[in-house]
Amino acid sequence: MASIYSQLTHRQVYLQQSDPEIRIHFVEARPSGNRKGIILLIHGFPESSYQFRHVMGPLSSAGYRTIAPDYRGAGYSSRPVTGYSKKVLATDLHELLTKHLDITEPVHVVGHDIGGMIAHAYAHLFADDVASLIWGECPLPGTTIYDELKHTAALWHFNFHSVPDLPELLVAGNEKQYLKHFYDRLAQNPAAFTEEDLNFYATLYSAPGALRAGFNVYRAFEEDKADNQRWLKEKGKVKVRAMIPMILGGEGSLDAIRSEEMAKQVNEQVIAGVVEGCGHWIAEEAPLAFVREVLGFIEK
């Protein structure tokens, strides 16, 4: 499967050269014919742009320039100590697109898991640059559902990842087993993750600073909650140009039942999309269904 990923176009740009270095790696697939638009895919934890390896080809074949970055601290991107609020991560990606890739048109923003939180922040901060918004598979900080779920057994890792230093100490050396716990537990089809995939992700999260950066994303949740509630108060619910937000989840996901209710707290209008027979990892468990749902929404 890594060969599919390696065949995509890989690039890196420096948002900041030093103090600290902010380097963003991304993969891209361009359509061979007429281009219909641009899709920004934002991955979750514990993953990277590799998450979208199965869907980037089909999306580009459908006419869309498709860009999947490794957000700050993840994948092949640099791992600064600070800057893991979703506001900062969204700003990084907007800078990547507008200042380094010279993209001036609104893009279709698709976020999964942590990427869904980043997508929500992106739509609030850069609404004029968003053609449509698709996000899901995350309890969004600032919603009542986040407050209800964040300390439950189902989301035990929210508390664990928020503890300073201890998670890094306990997980180091056991990265593959730790990551596999999430892939197995949250999937309807755990076989979607091959040994090659597990080794690829484990290698990424075994790199110096990778666990710390991954856990810092969780340590910023309460800051994200304050940002989301402030934006809701000051700006109102999310409005996107051309299309209304869609909440996308797997039928077997832990979040499936209440995702639409949660999304309505922060978006003016919501269309719920559910991928049948799929768990949390939609783009990997059911890539063709993921592509069908995304295209079906953005092309309405």
Side-chain angles (χ1 to χ4, degrees), residues 44-248:
F45 176 91
E47 302 200 278
S48 73
S49 55
Y50 184 78
Q51 170 183 343
F52 298 112
R53 62 198 177 279
H54 298 302
V55 304
M56 293 188 69
L59 290 172
S60 64
S61 295
Y64 293 90
R65 180 182 178 185
T66 307
I67 301 167
D70 294 335
Y71 56 67
R72 175 191 298 227
Y76 294 120
S77 293
S78 63
R79 305 176 189 98
V81 174
T82 61
Y84 292 92
S85 72
K86 309 314 161 289
K87 174 176 61 179
V88 171
L89 297 181
T91 300
D92 283 348
L93 300 188
H94 185 260
E95 183 176 343
L96 167 69
L97 266 59
T98 59
K99 295 184 179 179
H100 295 271
L101 301 184
D102 298 322
I103 293 173
T104 57
E105 66 186 90
V107 302
H108 302 285
V109 179
V110 181
H112 172 262
D113 186 81
I114 296 296
M117 300 179 187
I118 300 171
H120 174 75
Y122 196 105
H124 254 308
L125 294 169
F126 312 109
D128 290 341
D129 295 328
V130 178
S132 69
L133 176 63
I134 298 175
W135 64 275
E137 292 295 322
C138 62
L140 185 72
T143 64
T144 58
I145 292 174
Y146 166 79
D147 283 335
E148 291 172 18
L149 296 179
K150 65 181 180 180
H151 296 309
T152 60
L155 298 180
W156 64 270
H157 59 291
F158 279 32
N159 286 332
F160 179 59
H161 292 175
S162 297
V163 176
D165 302 326
L166 184 62
E168 290 92 325
L169 175 67
L170 296 178
V171 176
N174 299 294
E175 290 87 355
K176 184 176 179 179
Q177 294 87 343
Y178 188 69
L179 302 185
K180 191 174 186 299
H181 163 83
F182 294 102
Y183 305 144
D184 289 350
R185 176 170 173 262
L186 299 180
Q188 289 293 303
N189 177 24
F193 293 89
T194 66
E195 190 70 12
E196 184 180 18
D197 298 332
L198 294 174
N199 288 334
F200 183 87
Y201 281 130
T203 298
L204 290 180
Y205 280 94
S206 299
L211 288 175
R212 183 244 317 139
F215 298 150
N216 278 350
V217 169
Y218 287 79
R219 291 167 183 150
F221 278 180
E222 291 305 300
E223 181 180 352
D224 300 331
K225 173 180 175 178
D227 286 336
N228 288 337
Q229 290 180 335
R230 185 180 69 256
W231 293 333
L232 184 62
K233 182 178 180 179
E234 295 175 355
K235 303 180 180 182
K237 295 182 179 182
V238 168
K239 311 170 187 69
V240 295
R241 186 164 57 192
M243 293 184 181
I244 61 176
M246 171 183 175
I247 185 80
L248 181 61

